[in-house]
Amino acid sequence: MNSKKRFLATLERRPVDRPASWLGIPTAEAMPFLLKHFAASTLPALKKKIGDDIWPVDVPYHCPPANHIACAFNFSPDADSDYKNRTLTTPGWFKDKTDPACISGFPWPDPSQHMSIEECRQAIRQTPQDFAVMGIMWSAHFQDACAAFGMENALMTMLTDPEMFQAVIDRITEFYLQANEIFYEAGRGMLDAVLIGNDFGSQTGLMLSPELLRTFVFAGTRKLVKQAHSYGYKVIHHSCGAIREIIPDLIGLGVDAIHPIQALAAGMDPQALHNEFGNQVSFCGGVDAQNLLVNGTPEQVAAKVKELRRIFPSGLIISPSHEAVLPDILPENIEALFNAVKA
């Protein structure tokens, strides 16, 4: 099986020669350690050497200072451009606003002014051969809505001024539908899947009730999933944390796989997830990046991969349990992970 066939078969829970695997997205700080350990001069050489199956493609988006689709909105109420130091808890432009009509006063970006079909097409075409190709869309409409108010303000607005919160998250969703349309048109015949998502979970449970997610968030998620499926793309939905309670909702929304099985989060035991949901949805992740890949031995990593392969004969893309490979993850453990996948 080549990587594309293995990837698609894994997502569809069909028999595979071995599980599909994904390195994730190494940070700039982690790359020198990985390249040195694997004696590779480039990222494509590294990925081919370890047997990675997926090539992620970032959306080409040009709007300073971030120049990234995941940082398209500047919700600072005082035009602060220090986006790197802002967090979801920082009060946002909408923090004291209660009238949904005021959303027209925010300078919403027009994605067509910051990205083009041709540049997106070129970015996808540059993917090295023999990989499954996955667009990294994020489309984090919930997280952006939290940033629009400041997270505490956003969660309170859901309860005190629900029409206000809904108007903001709907407008954010519309931005992503427009931006994704450009990228999806560019990817026709070349793109296999997309990664979208929001973080809904903490280490021990959801950050808000399933009822609030169903009321305010999942309608937008459904539109984003439906849009990708209309182009024939598989949808991998990301959410860190303990999200067991809403996995049935994600299945109902039509996602093809759930990422990343945060291994140490409550309720995210791989065997239990397979037993309950393994015939309804696929997963991606599972190899703990909080402790095991940082502090464990290669033998322990190999044992975990062997366990995951036993639990999921198919239906699991084996990967670190966070998409960002940080410099504290030992390259020896990355090697052990991929060797065990191929064993």
Side-chain angles (χ1 to χ4, degrees):
M1 273 184 150
N2 63 26
S3 287
K4 187 184 298 285
K5 290 181 179 179
R6 184 180 300 116
F7 170 78
L8 294 174
T10 299
L11 287 185
E12 294 168 1
R13 299 176 294 286
R14 294 186 279 108
V16 288
D17 57 338
R18 64 164 177 82
S21 56
W22 183 34
L23 172 62
I25 306 173
T27 64
E29 296 78 10
M31 277 301 300
F33 299 103
L34 292 169
L35 293 175
K36 180 179 179 180
H37 178 82
F38 289 100
S41 58
T42 63
L43 180 59
L46 165 64
K47 289 167 73 70
K48 288 184 178 181
K49 182 168 285 192
I50 64 178
D52 195 348
D53 288 307
I54 301 173
W55 189 274
V57 179
D58 278 326
V59 176
Y61 187 85
H62 303 288
C63 184
N67 291 309
H68 197 288
I69 191 71
C71 303
F73 307 107
N74 181 7
F75 287 124
S76 173
D78 54 5
D80 176 16
S81 62
D82 187 17
Y83 72 96
K84 290 184 177 179
N85 293 319
R86 286 181 59 80
T87 70
L88 293 182
T89 60
T90 305
W93 196 88
F94 289 95
K95 67 183 178 72
D96 296 320
K97 296 180 172 57
T98 59
D99 181 2
C102 76
I103 68 168
S104 61
F106 180 78
W108 298 99
D110 177 354
S112 68
Q113 300 301 307
H114 305 294
M115 55 191 296
S116 71
I117 287 182
E118 186 49 46
E119 187 177 8
C120 291
R121 185 177 293 124
Q122 186 61 27
I124 299 168
R125 281 176 178 163
Q126 290 174 353
T127 301
Q129 292 184 350
D130 303 325
F131 289 97
V133 184
M134 181 167 70
I136 306 299
M137 316 308 298
W138 291 124
S139 304
H141 63 312
F142 168 66
Q143 289 177 216
D144 285 333
C146 288
F149 295 91
M151 190 159 193
E152 183 176 353
N153 296 323
L155 298 180
M156 289 300 298
T157 301
M158 283 183 175
L159 303 177
T160 60
D161 294 288
E163 292 183 359
M164 183 70 218
F165 184 88
Q166 194 70 65
V168 171
I169 196 170
D170 286 350
R171 182 60 183 83
I172 291 168
T173 302
E174 183 60 32
F175 167 85
Y176 283 119
L177 290 169
Q178 293 171 1
N180 293 355
E181 188 81 10
I182 296 170
F183 192 83
Y184 293 169
E185 283 289 339
R188 286 185 183 275
M190 297 183 289
L191 199 62
D192 300 301
V194 297
L195 179 72
I196 67 170
N198 292 274
D199 288 337
F200 299 133
S202 70
Q203 194 76 19
T204 58
L206 293 171
M207 293 189 287
L208 66 167
S209 72
E211 289 74 21
L212 287 175
L213 289 170
R214 292 163 190 152
T215 299
F216 294 103
V217 180
F218 287 159
T221 304
R222 186 182 301 278
K223 290 179 181 179
L224 292 163
V225 172
K226 184 177 180 181
Q227 180 190 40
H229 281 167
S230 72
Y231 282 87
Y233 306 143
K234 299 290 188 183
V235 176
I236 298 178
H237 188 285
H238 167 88
S239 175
C240 289
I243 62 165
R244 156 66 190 81
E245 197 171 359
I246 57 166
I247 288 178
D249 294 278
L250 296 175
I251 293 171
L253 294 170
V255 306
D256 297 288
I258 295 170
H259 173 271
I261 306 186
Q262 186 172 319
L264 300 186
M268 301 302 287
D269 174 69
Q271 185 68 66
L273 294 177
H274 179 270
N275 291 348
E276 189 161 1
F277 306 114
N279 63 346
Q280 303 173 68
V281 72
S282 295
F283 291 90
C284 177
V287 184
D288 169 40
Q290 292 179 276
N291 181 55
L292 177 60
L293 288 173
V294 177
N295 300 313
T297 66
E299 291 76 19
Q300 290 171 323
V301 172
K304 172 54 67 173
V305 172
K306 182 178 180 181
E307 175 190 339
L308 291 170
R309 292 187 62 168
R310 175 186 58 79
I311 295 170
F312 290 91
S314 188
L316 173 65
I317 299 168
I318 295 179
S319 182
S321 65
H322 192 279
E323 77 284 350
V325 177
L326 301 175
D328 61 350
I329 289 179
L330 299 175
E332 295 86 350
N333 284 341
I334 293 293
E335 182 177 12
L337 187 161
F338 280 91
N339 284 345
V341 166
K342 295 178 289 187

